Amino acid sequence: MRIAMIGTGYVGLVSGACFADFGHQVTCVDKDEGKIASLRRGEIPIFEPGLDALVDSNVKARRLDFTTELKAPVAEADAVFIAVGTPSRRGDGHADLSYVYAAAREIAGALAGFTVVVTKSTVPVGTGDEVERIIREVNPSADAVVASNPEFLREGAAIRDFKFPDRIVIGTLDERGRKVLSDIYRPLSLNQGPLMFTQRRTAELIKYAANAFLATKITFINEIADLSEKVGADVQEVARGIGLDNRIGSKFLHAGPGFGGSCFPKDTRALVKTAQDHDVQLRIVEAVLGVNDNRKRAMARKVATAVGNSLRGKTIAVLGLTFKPDTDDMREAPSIPLVTGLLDMGAKVRAHDPAGMEQAKKELPDIEYFDDPYACVNGADAMVLVTEWVQYRALDLDRLKATLARPVVVDLRNIYRAEDMAAHGFVYESVGRASEPKV
Ligand code: NAD
């Protein structure tokens, strides 16, 4: 199959490289000339484990190439995937579909022969209808089917998620469209990746419902964490105790500083907006958004409490800036409101992140960056663990204690055990666990 991937970001590049690895002929298109130039030089513009080797081997096998010119790859393609960004629209929080519609217009003008145009971007219900309308308007004679194929990969585990998906959702009632997409995903039937066919609008809603549900699960356990702290329970044990129930499941029950990232915040906001546009109130999802926003802001106050309430003149070392480990993505990372809150309260902030510092400098220009975690904490009044990178999971506690000016650790990911930290003489605060182990 010949595939044109429009948009070569986290989703487009991973999907394009994986499709090429299945044996398809893939051209990744992006408007960003710098991105395409670096890909052509063999440089990967994002941090995603395993992606450099996957891209390299498929480029060498001549199954994968990169261009800024959309016309030729679209004309030759059996399927054109739209994988451009759908960020939150300024002002009302709805999904900004301008990139999707602009891509649809360009694609429409270049179509030749039967083509399936597939929205892989996360788009609100009804976007496929509008993409179809645009194509008919721009190119009335085009022989095209518009399908929805939402992407569920997680940054940091994107290649594995793409190659071993829990499910592949294909939204189109058109038989020719279903056939092309079945052929494209056929290599995954070996991995038993179940293909689910449904209507386009249903497929679009599945993606938002999935993200809203996961965001709800995280927010639920975060609120239970707050209660655990007050009543002297351990939220991790609570999570384990409920997660072992198959009806609940153990994933997405890790208490922390609130969800962030490139998807959950914007997708939950967009789902609420879609519901409002249809006179439906999604009160649970609305509450999730409110609780999560408050939580992210509350984390700076938690740090202030740990250092004796006043942050003025104190130096705080932040370890981990990206919204999760194994990515350089800083979009809506909880570290941003945390650091901003610390600065607002008069602290000096220094930070380390294994992969996200270049991105972070754009969001957080007023802090000091260090290439090494121990150099970062040197002389600080407290260390705050924000992202659970593997590099932070076994820090040398004696060295840490000797390096910090004051032995205060705020662990927002519950990496360490309160007993160990107490034995090393730290003042240790975590999430949803009493500072002192109780009975
Ligand atoms: P991204 O911002 O990393 O990449 C989007 C790319 O599209 C950019 O490189 C941009 O230059 C390019 N682009 C925009 N308009 C274009 C056009 N007309 N022609 C060619 N290129 C164009 O975004 P992303 O994180 O890859 O997300 C893409 C979509 O996938 C979003 O809808 C997102 O919600 C969804 N999604 C993302 C993830 C994730 O983990 N990042 C997971 C599942 C779904």
Side-chain angles (χ1 to χ4, degrees):
M1 288 274 157
R2 279 193 168 267
I3 294 172
M5 186 65 65
I6 314 303
T8 309
Y10 286 86
V11 165
L13 184 55
V14 171
S15 307
C18 288
F19 280 146
D21 212 43
F22 295 168
H24 303 307
Q25 195 64 44
V26 182
T27 300
C28 285
V29 182
D30 205 287
K31 283 215 161 319
D32 183 334
E33 289 177 4
K35 196 175 267 192
I36 293 300
S38 54
L39 282 161
R40 284 182 157 171
R41 285 195 303 272
E43 294 161 17
I44 306 297
I46 55 170
F47 179 84
E48 179 62 44
L51 189 56
D52 45 1
L54 190 75
V55 167
D56 182 54
S57 64
N58 283 285
V59 167
K60 286 196 174 123
R62 297 182 174 278
R63 287 190 298 262
L64 179 63
D65 61 356
F66 304 99
T67 179
T68 53
E69 296 301 322
L70 170 149
K71 225 172 163 52
V74 167
E76 289 165 10
D78 299 294
V80 179
F81 284 81
I82 300 176
V84 301
T86 48
S88 274
R89 194 162 64 190
R90 264 179 209 280
D92 69 356
H94 215 326
D96 177 354
L97 295 172
S98 56
Y99 302 100
V100 172
Y101 294 150
R105 268 182 196 282
E106 274 190 79
I107 292 164
L111 289 169
F114 175 65
T115 316
V116 189
V117 178
V118 193
T119 44
K120 197 164 240 332
S121 299
T122 302
V123 293
V125 175
T127 304
D129 302 4
E130 181 61 14
V131 168
E132 187 167 323
R133 197 198 60 72
I134 290 169
I135 291 173
R136 303 273 169 259
E137 179 192 295
V138 175
N139 187 349
S141 61
D143 185 12
V145 164
V146 176
S148 163
N149 171 222
E151 182 49 58
F152 299 96
L153 63 77
R154 293 163 301 167
E155 287 174 24
I159 295 169
R160 208 199 132 70
D161 282 352
F162 197 91
K163 290 192 169 180
F164 299 91
D166 290 337
R167 79 303 204 185
I168 297 149
V169 174
I170 292 175
T172 174
L173 294 176
D174 184 276
E175 274 313 315
R176 291 190 301 168
R178 286 185 174 192
K179 165 92 176 55
V180 168
L181 283 160
S182 303
D183 287 348
I184 286 174
Y185 280 109
R186 192 172 315 284
L188 287 187
S189 55
L190 286 175
N191 303 341
Q192 258 124 48
L195 233 55
M196 175 184 164
F197 291 101
T198 184
Q199 301 162 33
R200 193 164 65 201
R201 285 178 160 243
T202 306
E204 290 169 338
L205 187 53
I206 285 171
K207 173 65 191 177
Y208 281 97
N211 274 1
F213 190 84
L214 293 171
T216 303
K217 228 177 152 186
I218 295 172
T219 306
F220 175 83
I221 203 67
N222 282 340
E223 287 204 313
I224 296 294
D226 290 344
L227 181 60
S228 298
E229 283 176 22
K230 296 282 184 214
V231 300
D234 181 333
V235 73
Q236 279 180 290
E237 295 288 301
V238 175
R240 184 154 178 266
I242 64 174
L244 286 169
D245 183 331
N246 281 334
R247 293 169 301 178
I248 296 173
S250 59
K251 297 199 175 143
F252 283 78
L253 285 180
H254 300 286
F259 63 77
S262 60
C263 292
F264 286 179
K266 81 171 174 66
D267 292 349
T268 41
R269 280 196 292 267
L271 181 61
V272 166
K273 284 288 164 199
T274 303
Q276 285 169 356
D277 289 349
H278 292 82
D279 285 328
V280 173
Q281 210 186 345
L282 295 182
R283 275 182 293 226
I284 294 175
V285 187
E286 284 175 16
V288 163
L289 275 166
V291 170
N292 194 61
D293 282 347
N294 287 341
R295 183 172 194 81
K296 287 204 254 185
R297 282 197 291 272
M299 290 301 118
R301 291 196 294 277
K302 192 176 177 75
V303 176
T305 309
V307 296
N309 290 323
S310 172
L311 282 165
R312 196 145 299 282
K314 303 246 167 68
T315 300
I316 307 297
V318 171
L319 296 194
L321 294 166
T322 52
F323 83 96
K324 62 155 140 177
D326 292 325
T327 181
D328 58 352
D329 200 337
M330 281 294 296
R331 287 178 280 187
E332 302 209 34
S335 64
I336 300 171
L338 168 77
V339 168
T340 312
L342 296 173
L343 293 172
D344 285 349
M345 285 190 258
K348 286 201 212 76
V349 180
R350 16 167 70 204
H352 172 266
D353 188 279
M357 291 200 288
E358 281 315 305
Q359 300 287 347
K361 283 173 190 168
K362 297 177 202 153
E363 304 280 344
L364 300 168
D366 300 323
I367 63 174
E368 218 181 332
Y369 291 89
F370 289 81
D371 288 334
D372 172 76
Y374 294 101
C376 178
V377 302
N378 189 10
D381 294 291
M383 176 185 104
V384 187
L385 272 163
V386 184
T387 314
E388 67 278 33
W389 282 92
V390 74
Q391 287 87 333
Y392 305 145
R393 291 185 190 211
L395 291 169
D396 178 338
L397 296 182
D398 291 324
R399 187 171 167 199
L400 209 57
K401 175 103 187 299
T403 313
L404 279 161
R406 300 196 326 157
V408 179
V409 170
V410 181
D411 176 1
L412 299 181
R413 299 291 179 174
N414 291 350
I415 296 174
Y416 290 95
R417 284 157 40 106
E419 295 87 342
D420 295 344
M421 297 306 277
H424 280 83
F426 284 101
V427 174
Y428 177 70
E429 290 294 333
S430 57
V431 176
R433 304 186 299 183
S435 335
E436 297 293 324
K438 300 229 163 47
V439 281

